Amino acid sequence: MSSTSEGGSRPIAIIGGTGPAGMGLALRWARAGEAIIIGSRDEQRAQSTAAAIKVKAGNLANVSGMENSAACEAADILMLTVPFEGQAGLLKQLKSAMEPGIILIDATVPLAASVGGRASRPLGVWQGSAAQQAAELVPKGVSVVAAFHNLSADLLSGDDPLDCDVVVCSDDPDAAQLTRELAAKIPGVRAVDGGKLENARIVEQITALLIGLNIRHKGHAGIRITGLPATAYR
Amino acid sequence: MSSTSEGGSRPIAIIGGTGPAGMGLALRWARAGEAIIIGSRDEQRAQSTAAAIKVKAGNLANVSGMENSAACEAADILMLTVPFEGQAGLLKQLKSAMEPGIILIDATVPLAASVGGRASRPLGVWQGSAAQQAAELVPKGVSVVAAFHNLSADLLSGDDPLDCDVVVCSDDPDAAQLTRELAAKIPGVRAVDGGKLENARIVEQITALLIGLNIRHKGHAGIRITGLPATAYR
């Protein structure tokens, strides 16, 4: 099913991929040999972003750009990197383009910035987390995974290895494992099994804490999970 | 005001200090030369716990045991390490023993285990966090600091350095700094300024995530905050 298991045969569509987080993930995965489709409302913008990523990732990188729905239809793995205020609307719009069996990896963080407040404060989401909201909005048979909330977009867009773990939460163990494999393709990143999707509510909030630390200390904060056996990271 | 600034002149009272987290903190601070009073509802239990800590910390360690109210009155720094279900009642009971100017460091984590649920799931607290609940219950002039939620009691009770950062949240910058100094006295621990007390709601929840990781992976999970300048840790 996955591009990862089958060696890059099927692309990863990065929906909302023209923002800093989407571009950063695209760059790192393109460098790791994954085929990437940048998705955007605007096809031309998607294509110019894809071209910019190719320049950074190298000529052999497989990066293209499409309108979001087309990107969705061309991929088995969707990576959603949009601001919280855009998440629900976009998922409703893409519903008919999502086929059963695909995986939606959601990195949405519900920050008060979405409603004019601070990026260092989380919003409460009725379902518990942005990822659980996503799970309510996708068609049946689409697996939702929460991951990649806590990676600095600035650092992803650079050349150095990151110093951050990715906590992966999902109710679908296979989708979670595939996501952990994708995480581990980013240099310096370790993936940790964070359990069920409901735990995304904690992982999402950590981002707000890290943003506060960045504001206070002028850094690019990330987290490492310590004290677990080596088998916990993969 | 503090034992830390004045070189161990005034003790730290560890309220609810006979549990694993309280004993672990007491051991580490006693080894660092701090004077420690173990507080308990039961004076005799406090004294036998203090004696047990002295055996581990060495004969020069300054550790005594008192009933909670007496411990409170004898100290300028109170460290609260009780289960969430005991926090509010204990603070109400100790109110008259707390003098303005003292610092209450709260490590309470509101876990569903307090009401018969899972330790890997946080409870919602109306005030936002257990620490903010504490702030509502202490007398005027008592500064509340949230810290030490994410340290493994098992590892604290051992001899090896820890591999965990302590995120310190408070609305009183001096109390926060003092708490960061105390955190840094534990080998392997770095203290990070986590901003206002309201951010405790995120830090407390991280503990639930770590407990879930421990259950899943059989470890003693902690967190490190990466990506900040060296000046952010102290």
Side-chain angles (χ1 to χ4, degrees):
Chain A
M1 171 193 247
S2 87
S3 60
T4 302
S5 314
E6 294 168 14
S9 59
R10 288 278 291 180
I12 303 165
I14 305 193
I15 307 300
T18 58
M23 285 180 71
L25 287 169
L27 174 65
R28 297 297 183 147
W29 284 330
R31 282 184 180 151
E34 295 290 325
I36 302 293
I37 304 169
I38 298 291
S40 169
R41 268 173 302 184
D42 177 346
E43 187 184 2
Q44 285 216 313
R45 193 162 170 226
Q47 288 172 352
S48 64
T49 301
I53 292 167
K54 273 191 91 151
V55 169
K56 285 179 86 169
N59 272 336
L60 292 175
N62 185 343
V63 189
S64 56
M66 295 183 188
E67 185 277 327
N68 277 327
S69 301
C72 223
E73 281 165 4
D76 288 335
I77 301 174
L78 310 182
M79 175 77 230
L80 190 63
T81 57
V82 293
F84 179 59
E85 66 270 26
Q87 186 209 32
L90 185 55
L91 286 175
K92 286 175 192 168
Q93 182 198 317
L94 294 179
K95 196 160 185 174
S96 60
M98 287 189 235
E99 281 174 35
I102 68 165
I103 293 171
L104 174 74
I105 308 173
D106 182 78
T108 309
V109 179
L111 299 174
S114 290
V115 293
R118 293 189 194 166
S120 57
R121 284 179 168 161
L123 288 177
V125 181
W126 188 263
Q127 295 88 337
S129 61
Q132 288 165 291
Q133 173 168 281
E136 223 180 64
L137 293 169
V138 297
K140 221 177 163 174
V142 173
S143 291
V144 174
V145 181
F148 303 110
H149 311 85
N150 298 324
L151 298 179
S152 154
D154 277 359
L155 299 182
L156 277 174
S157 300
D159 297 323
D160 296 330
L162 277 79
D163 186 7
C164 192
D165 291 338
V166 168
V167 181
V168 176
C169 303
S170 179
D171 296 333
D172 178 338
D174 294 336
Q177 192 186 323
L178 185 81
T179 304
R180 293 199 300 274
E181 287 169 14
L182 281 176
K185 293 194 176 203
I186 303 171
V189 167
R190 300 182 306 181
V192 180
D193 174 7
K196 293 198 170 181
L197 194 67
E198 64 174 40
N199 294 334
R201 67 189 78 183
I202 304 178
V203 183
E204 290 174 6
Q205 298 207 1
I206 291 173
T207 302
L209 183 73
L210 298 179
I211 289 171
L213 290 172
N214 286 341
I215 294 169
R216 214 169 298 116
H217 302 293
K218 313 221 180 304
H220 294 97
I223 55 158
R224 287 286 193 196
I225 305 290
T226 62
L228 295 179
T231 51
Y233 305 98
R234 65 213 145 137
Chain B
M1 171 193 249
S2 85
S3 61
T4 301
S5 314
E6 294 168 13
S9 59
R10 289 279 291 180
I12 303 166
I14 305 192
I15 307 300
T18 58
M23 285 180 71
L25 287 169
L27 173 66
R28 298 296 183 147
W29 284 331
R31 281 184 180 151
E34 295 290 324
I36 303 293
I37 304 170
I38 298 292
S40 170
R41 269 173 303 183
D42 177 346
E43 187 184 2
Q44 284 216 313
R45 193 163 170 224
Q47 287 172 352
S48 64
T49 302
I53 292 167
K54 272 192 92 151
V55 168
K56 285 179 87 169
N59 273 336
L60 293 174
N62 185 344
V63 190
S64 56
M66 294 183 188
E67 185 277 328
N68 277 328
S69 301
C72 225
E73 282 166 3
D76 288 336
I77 302 173
L78 310 183
M79 176 75 231
L80 190 64
T81 57
V82 292
F84 180 58
E85 66 269 27
Q87 187 210 32
L90 185 56
L91 286 175
K92 286 176 193 168
Q93 182 198 317
L94 294 178
K95 196 160 184 175
S96 60
M98 286 188 234
E99 282 175 34
I102 68 164
I103 293 170
L104 174 75
I105 309 173
D106 182 79
T108 309
V109 179
L111 299 175
S114 291
V115 293
R118 294 190 193 165
S120 57
R121 284 178 168 162
L123 289 177
V125 180
W126 188 263
Q127 294 88 338
S129 60
Q132 288 166 290
Q133 173 169 280
E136 224 180 63
L137 292 170
V138 297
K140 219 176 163 175
V142 173
S143 291
V144 174
V145 181
F148 302 110
H149 312 85
N150 299 324
L151 298 180
S152 154
D154 278 358
L155 298 182
L156 276 174
S157 300
D159 298 322
D160 295 330
L162 277 79
D163 185 8
C164 192
D165 292 338
V166 167
V167 182
V168 176
C169 303
S170 179
D171 296 333
D172 177 340
D174 294 336
Q177 191 186 324
L178 186 79
T179 304
R180 293 199 301 274
E181 286 168 16
L182 281 177
K185 292 194 175 203
I186 302 171
V189 166
R190 300 181 306 181
V192 181
D193 174 8
K196 293 199 170 181
L197 194 68
E198 64 174 41
N199 295 334
R201 67 189 77 184
I202 304 178
V203 183
E204 291 174 5
Q205 299 207 0
I206 291 173
T207 302
L209 184 73
L210 298 180
I211 290 171
L213 291 172
N214 287 340
I215 294 169
R216 215 168 298 117
H217 301 294
K218 314 220 180 304
H220 294 96
I223 56 159
R224 287 287 193 196
I225 305 290
T226 63
L228 296 180
T231 52
Y233 304 98
R234 62 202 148 146

